[in-house]
Amino acid sequence: MNTFSTINGNDLIELGFKQSKWFNEALQYINENQLNENNMKIYLEQFRSPDPIPLHTEPKNFVINIRPENENEINNVEKVINTMKVLMKTPTLINGAIMPDACPTGPEGQIPVGGVVVAKNAIHPGFHSADICCSVMLTDFGKADPKDVLDAAHSITHFGYGGRPRGEQMEMSQELMDAFRENNFLNDEKLISIARSHMGTQGDGNHFLFVGISKNTGNTMMVTHHGSRAPGAALYDKGMKIANRFRQEISPETLKENAWIPYETEEGKSYWEALQLIRTWTKENHTSIHDAVLHKMNLEKEDRYWNEHNFVFKDGDLFYHAKGATPLDDKFMPDITGPRLIPLNMSEPVLIVQGKTNERNLGFAPHGAGRNFSRTQHKKSLAHKTIEEVFAEETQGLDIRFFSNEIDISELPTAYKSAKNVRAQIEEYGLCEVLDEVMPYGCIMAGDVGKNAPWKKKKKFRK
């Protein structure tokens, strides 16, 4: 290579560099300074990528806090264990656990619901998924009539796609909007507009508003379950794009869904900050609904507590990713609000629990009852009955309402694992201690939001 001939991109590629944004800057510097071959190689070393980080040869150890209780659960548990074996080869991971409510969520290697994994200096957006900070909040309404609470809540909450219509929106705090604008991931006026319209909404799927009676005190309690809605989903999309850019550069063997953002980078610090802001938004969302119901009933709350069960928790340089697992250890929650909540299904009590970190739980407990079958499989298994028959059988004695007025049988009790078995395994594996139970009175869910969706009606009208 002639020292003083003009260097171009092909020359850099021949030296083993992948074409990148820095090529133009480097070529300009090399040619302007007419670097000889030796000095050019020394200069270019700053741009050389480190050797790719390989997968672990063998999966890192993980604790199995689940076993099949019947024939239906054998395949489910086998899939969960197999997916964890692939997942735990991810280079950043050092420990993990699966809970009694675990169930697979996608292709082998993707973190299961009911999975906890510990990563060193890395945040994996795929491990918290689009429903960032899915969480539960409880408010104690004292001796209020549970029907009155459910009626008031029904008139106030909002389920289904999208946000609240104009004129019915709940206020997002100015302080939080300002904080969004100061974060690189959330400084997006469209995202902030969505965050404002989605305040006071609960979405669809397995999210709910539950009213029941404390077994210990007889007080009426309201529990809401939902995540960060569209703002969280938007952050997740941005996070996955950044994580996959890093993956392609530093660990191309890692599965796309398991890509990570190194915490020590500018992107890592900014993403961590964005997660905390989305957490704040989600808690504010729960609080808005609860306070509005109290206000309508002219009541003051007697107690309140809240916890997420789908999030990332930091302890030093370790990042605990809980995909559907309830944090027990106080170090995981900067705003301790009391005991933790584990909902099971609409016909079972919401468990109020506490616990300490041990070698089996890694500081976490289950988050619910989980599923053995997909929604579609469950619906097929009930095809010999009418929807009304299934609903009547499974909700007897309860006040169960669907916001869309369309029954969703994939959210009825038989869609979930046996609550009795999950509770038994919580005790068997020493995961946490049950302090109280909120016995069910009634529940509101979205229902089958696709059955008579507005866009379907519009299509019919156009015909």
Side-chain angles (χ1 to χ4, degrees):
M1 187 183 293
N2 190 319
T3 305
F4 299 104
S5 63
T6 300
I7 302 300
N8 60 37
N10 289 330
D11 295 319
L12 300 187
I13 291 169
E14 283 181 19
L15 288 170
F17 294 96
K18 290 182 182 178
Q19 189 164 355
S20 187
K21 292 179 181 178
W22 57 264
F23 267 32
N24 288 338
E25 176 192 339
L27 290 169
Q28 183 178 351
Y29 182 86
I30 292 166
N31 290 318
E32 283 181 357
N33 293 278
Q34 297 189 344
L35 298 185
N36 62 34
E37 185 173 352
N38 186 52
N39 287 339
M40 180 175 69
K41 287 181 178 178
I42 293 170
Y43 167 76
L44 288 172
E45 276 308 303
Q46 65 183 302
F47 300 109
R48 191 176 294 280
S49 299
D51 291 337
I53 303 171
L55 299 175
H56 295 312
T57 307
E58 295 294 328
K60 291 294 181 180
N61 290 334
F62 60 95
V63 184
I64 301 172
N65 296 305
I66 186 174
R67 59 179 172 76
E69 295 276 4
N70 54 55
E71 195 172 317
N72 291 335
E73 294 185 352
I74 293 173
N75 184 51
N76 181 75
V77 173
E78 187 177 296
K79 283 181 177 177
V80 167
I81 291 172
N82 287 341
T83 201
M84 282 293 288
K85 286 178 178 177
V86 177
L87 172 68
M88 293 305 293
K89 288 186 176 183
T90 305
T92 58
L93 299 186
I94 62 170
N95 206 351
I98 47 178
M99 297 292 158
D101 57 340
C103 54
T105 56
E108 196 166 78
Q110 188 166 322
I111 189 170
V113 170
V116 178
V117 292
V118 187
K120 194 172 180 69
N121 269 324
I123 307 172
H124 294 254
F127 294 174
H128 59 59
S129 73
D131 197 13
I132 300 173
C133 202
C134 192
S135 46
V136 276
M137 178 176 279
L138 177 149
T139 293
D140 187 335
F141 280 71
K143 301 303 179 185
D145 186 322
K147 183 179 185 306
D148 291 344
V149 175
L150 194 65
D151 287 345
H154 198 165
S155 72
I156 286 164
T157 192
H158 181 287
F159 285 90
Y161 296 131
R164 287 178 174 266
R166 288 188 179 277
E168 296 179 21
Q169 293 181 3
M170 291 188 174
E171 188 176 350
M172 176 180 171
S173 68
Q174 186 62 49
E175 181 183 2
L176 187 53
M177 277 190 281
D178 291 343
F180 271 40
R181 291 189 174 100
E182 291 173 6
N183 179 269
N184 291 336
F185 281 91
L186 302 177
N187 183 18
D188 176 335
E189 289 305 318
K190 183 178 178 183
L191 186 153
I192 292 168
S193 176
I194 290 170
R196 295 178 69 178
S197 69
H198 281 237
M199 184 61 68
T201 70
Q202 295 196 248
D204 56 2
N206 66 350
H207 298 150
F208 62 73
L209 188 152
F210 175 101
V211 175
I213 308 293
S214 162
K215 195 173 183 180
N216 288 352
T217 67
N219 285 1
T220 295
M221 295 177 168
M222 186 178 93
V223 180
T224 50
H225 171 226
H226 60 261
S228 52
R229 308 287 287 111
L235 175 61
Y236 164 75
D237 286 342
K238 292 180 179 185
M240 282 303 297
K241 286 175 183 173
I242 297 293
N244 264 303
R245 283 182 207 157
F246 278 108
R247 181 190 68 83
Q248 290 164 3
E249 186 72 24
I250 64 179
S251 186
E253 284 186 341
T254 295
L255 296 174
K256 287 182 180 179
E257 54 266 33
N258 297 340
W260 73 88
I261 304 174
Y263 175 66
E264 295 300 334
T265 62
E266 183 182 343
E267 295 92 337
K269 299 285 177 63
S270 184
Y271 191 71
W272 175 251
E273 178 188 292
L275 287 172
Q276 308 319 303
L277 292 172
I278 286 294
R279 180 183 189 271
T280 300
W281 184 94
T282 308
K283 187 176 181 182
E284 194 171 290
N285 188 14
H286 281 280
T287 302
S288 295
I289 296 169
H290 285 244
D291 284 353
V293 178
L294 285 166
H295 179 74
K296 179 155 189 174
M297 297 185 69
N298 197 27
L299 293 173
E300 295 288 333
K301 67 178 185 292
E302 298 211 0
D303 205 353
R304 174 174 291 165
Y305 27 93
W306 172 86
N307 64 265
E308 62 270 72
H309 51 223
N310 195 58
F311 201 58
V312 189
F313 305 88
K314 185 177 182 295
D315 182 24
D317 63 355
L318 301 181
F319 290 79
Y320 290 72
H321 297 73
K323 173 62 179 169
T326 301
L328 297 172
D329 198 313
D330 288 354
K331 68 185 178 185
F332 295 137
M333 295 184 69
D335 50 353
I336 302 303
T337 56
R340 317 300 194 247
L341 304 166
I342 303 179
L344 296 168
N345 66 57
M346 62 175 64
S347 68
E348 294 285 340
V350 172
L351 306 181
I352 299 176
V353 306
Q354 68 178 13
K356 294 182 178 179
T357 298
N358 60 48
E359 60 183 11
R360 295 206 66 90
N361 67 17
L362 304 185
F364 293 84
H367 85 304
R371 295 177 184 268
N372 284 321
F373 306 104
S374 70
R375 295 173 189 274
T376 303
Q377 286 175 312
H378 178 66
K379 286 179 178 179
K380 283 182 179 177
S381 73
L382 297 172
H384 60 290
K385 299 178 182 178
T386 67
I387 290 175
E388 289 71 24
E389 285 172 339
V390 175
F391 179 76
E393 288 174 12
E394 298 200 32
T395 64
Q396 189 172 1
L398 299 173
D399 185 349
I400 305 300
R401 310 176 187 186
F402 290 105
F403 199 77
S404 65
N405 294 320
E406 298 292 346
I407 296 168
D408 182 358
I409 60 173
S410 71
E411 287 301 333
L412 297 180
T414 58
Y416 290 89
K417 291 185 178 189
S418 161
K420 179 182 176 183
N421 291 347
V422 171
R423 291 188 65 169
Q425 291 186 19
I426 287 173
E427 185 174 345
E428 177 184 344
Y429 294 116
L431 302 178
C432 64
E433 173 193 1
V434 177
L435 300 176
D436 193 6
E437 303 174 42
V438 185
M439 310 307 291
Y441 168 80
C443 182
I444 307 167
M445 300 188 79
D448 190 346
V449 294
K451 189 169 184 181
N452 286 307
W455 57 89
K456 290 187 177 180
K457 291 179 181 178
K458 285 177 184 176
K459 285 180 181 177
K460 283 183 181 179
F461 180 79
R462 284 172 187 161
K463 290 177 183 177

